[in-house]
Amino acid sequence: MSKLKIGVIGAGSISEAHLGAYVKNDKVELYAICDLNEQRAKDKAEKYGAKKVYVDYNDLMNDPEVDAVSICTWNNTHAEIATAAVNSGKHVLVEKPMTTSVEKALKLEEAVKNSGKKLQVGFVRRYASNTQVLKKFIDNDELGEIYFTKATCIRRLGNPGGWFSDVERSGGGPLIDIGVHVIDVLWYLMGRPKVKSISGNTYNKLGNRKNIKNLAFYQAADYDPEKNTVEDMANALIRFENGASMLVDVSFTLHAKKDEIAVKLYGTKGGAEVEPELAIISEKHDTILNMTPQVNSLTFDFIDGFQNEVDHFVDVCLGEKETFSPVQDGVEMTKILCGIYESAQKGKEIYFD
Ligand SMILES: NC(=O)c1ccc[n+]([C@@H]2O[C@H](COP(=O)([O-])OP(=O)(O)OC[C@H]3O[C@@H](n4cnc5c(N)ncnc54)[C@H](O)[C@@H]3O)[C@@H](O)[C@H]2O)c1
């Protein structure tokens, strides 16, 4: 059987997770790497054994050998590159966030539909084993009606600088960069209810705190602290049409004692935590139970999550599976993220029809 030929566009930090997973999948030939920075693309091609190197993604699109692409570039380029890919007959795995505006999201959805090609959004936490374990419990109604969820992702010091902090290229700060993961995984586990209204706040009070010494933090491949046009903290209350609500708080920096991640769901029959550690809470015979599933990893396992995501995408391209994270979900998540920014900017709750 001939192998699925993959091109990876954007050869920065996260491409490592995609490349590492593709080379472990024996249905795949890792074929091409593309980056604006030619040396970066060449180095990755050498490291992972890809035949071709491109600087302009349009040249990769014109290469008929490529069956599917991973898009690991700046957020503002995702929709344009994904549209070019499906229009050139290639399947797409696009990193989160799918794009930076609802208008671009809807246009991409249309392009995907017209092309008949598959698009999977890189909502990697949906593919993590702790999420999938809990999903089985939820699908079997162990939590009952889920009516409240909490999405927290607090970095006390962690503005990555570079394009992440340039709103033109990123579309926003911690909300669109790290908040998207915790909001999306909850929305997925809640059964993807339709959003009704959003009340959000964003703050730019502390800046990127490049003055801080003696404490290491995550920095982009092209770290540059000079430009910072994104929020450093966001919070929101999201209401859904089924009456459920989600509370969100995320930051690149905050005077918090420590970093914090929390992904929590509360239902009529039970509750659950996906992060910081998988746990299921229930009540039986008038007694409250905290249950700990006996699994390899109770928390998000980065390598395993990306391997599952990429393996699933490969099977989707081969027509063996349906994606867990289709373009329509990318559109809904874009509505939520952009809705939080819009509400914050207007200083009032916004409603969806
Ligand atoms: N799923 C996750 O957990 C996760 C984690 C980190 C980043 N990401 C996402 O992955 C994407 C990339 O992030 P990163 O951390 O790797 O950033 P990065 O800065 O390390 O790498 C981005 C690369 O894309 C290249 N690039 C930008 N525009 C391009 C274009 N038009 N054509 C070709 N190359 C282009 C840049 O030169 C750079 O090498 C972002 O969308 C980010 O949100 C996802």
Side-chain angles (χ1 to χ4, degrees):
M1 200 182 86
S2 69
K3 297 199 174 195
L4 190 77
K5 287 193 181 161
I6 299 283
V8 172
I9 306 167
S13 315
I14 208 59
S15 72
E16 282 286 311
H18 289 243
L19 293 163
Y22 282 124
V23 294
K24 286 206 193 101
N25 185 313
D26 57 17
K27 300 174 190 169
V28 160
E29 177 187 336
L30 178 64
Y31 173 80
I33 306 212
C34 169
D35 200 291
L36 292 174
N37 180 327
E38 188 173 14
Q39 193 54 49
R40 201 171 277 165
K42 278 186 176 161
D43 291 347
K44 291 277 157 85
E46 193 173 328
K47 179 171 173 191
Y48 290 97
K51 272 189 203 142
K52 294 265 181 144
V53 167
Y54 291 104
V55 175
D56 183 341
Y57 74 82
N58 291 301
D59 294 335
L60 183 148
M61 298 309 166
N62 290 331
D63 184 337
E65 293 284 309
V66 179
D67 298 307
V69 296
S70 265
I71 300 174
C72 304
T73 54
W74 307 324
N75 301 345
N76 66 323
T77 65
H78 289 180
E80 148 197 329
I81 301 177
T83 303
V86 293
N87 288 343
S88 313
K90 306 187 194 313
H91 303 296
V92 171
L93 171 56
V94 58
E95 261 304 343
K96 51 47 65 174
M98 187 176 85
T99 184
T100 50
S101 78
V102 176
E103 195 190 347
K104 289 207 267 183
L106 290 169
K107 277 195 188 150
L108 175 56
E109 183 182 32
E110 193 62 25
V112 172
K113 262 194 218 150
N114 293 338
S115 71
K117 292 287 138 186
K118 307 286 182 186
L119 182 142
Q120 176 168 310
V121 187
F123 293 137
V124 65
R125 281 173 185 263
R126 294 190 185 198
Y127 297 85
S129 58
N130 58 344
T131 304
Q132 286 304 321
V133 167
L134 180 61
K135 178 94 170 46
K136 273 202 180 150
F137 281 74
I138 291 175
D139 288 348
N140 284 288
D141 201 33
E142 300 280 350
L143 303 195
E145 178 197 339
I146 298 168
Y147 56 91
F148 176 48
T149 58
K150 271 174 97 163
T152 295
C153 194
I154 298 293
R155 281 187 193 158
R156 62 177 180 162
L157 181 69
N159 181 322
W163 71 265
F164 286 93
S165 311
D166 171 9
V167 75
E168 295 298 322
R169 288 181 287 169
S170 61
L175 177 64
I176 205 164
D177 181 36
I178 50 180
V180 58
H181 284 298
V182 285
I183 297 170
D184 175 71
V185 77
L186 282 171
W187 182 69
Y188 168 70
L189 289 169
M190 291 168 86
R192 305 183 248 204
K194 256 190 112 21
V195 58
K196 182 177 164 192
S197 68
I198 293 180
S199 187
N201 299 284
T202 55
Y203 297 95
N204 197 340
K205 298 282 187 192
L206 305 184
N208 60 14
R209 299 175 84 194
K210 63 179 181 188
N211 59 305
I212 296 291
K213 295 194 169 51
N214 309 314
L215 191 61
F217 63 94
Y218 172 70
Q219 300 182 342
D222 302 294
Y223 181 70
D224 171 9
E226 287 320 312
K227 188 162 194 183
N228 185 38
T229 50
V230 297
E231 82 278 6
D232 48 49
M233 199 275 160
N235 62 45
L237 177 62
I238 307 171
R239 281 200 175 83
F240 298 94
E241 281 187 357
N242 64 1
S245 53
M246 186 191 295
L247 210 48
V248 178
D249 59 335
V250 295
S251 69
F252 271 168
T253 189
L254 189 71
H255 286 303
K257 190 173 172 209
K258 54 181 176 125
D259 291 353
E260 191 184 349
I261 182 159
V263 175
K264 301 181 179 179
L265 305 96
Y266 305 95
T268 50
K269 294 201 324 200
E273 301 191 352
V274 183
E275 299 291 344
E277 242 183 32
L278 185 60
I280 298 169
I281 298 92
S282 184
E283 179 189 311
K284 275 219 159 85
H285 316 301
D286 306 326
T287 297
I288 289 176
L289 300 176
N290 284 358
M291 295 178 283
T292 308
Q294 301 301 293
V295 294
N296 288 333
S297 177
L298 285 172
T299 179
F300 176 61
D301 179 329
F302 187 87
I303 301 283
D304 190 53
F306 275 94
Q307 191 68 53
N308 293 346
E309 175 184 75
V310 160
D311 288 349
H312 198 95
F313 174 62
V314 169
D315 290 345
V316 168
C317 295
L318 296 173
E320 293 168 10
K321 282 185 184 159
E322 289 298 320
T323 179
F324 294 164
S325 47
V327 64
Q328 306 88 273
D329 287 11
V331 172
E332 288 304 305
M333 200 40 54
T334 310
K335 280 186 190 164
I336 291 177
L337 298 169
C338 294
I340 295 174
Y341 284 127
E342 185 188 331
S343 164
Q345 192 253 325
K346 290 185 170 156
K348 61 179 189 185
E349 185 162 15
I350 57 152
Y351 291 83
F352 294 80
D353 7 85

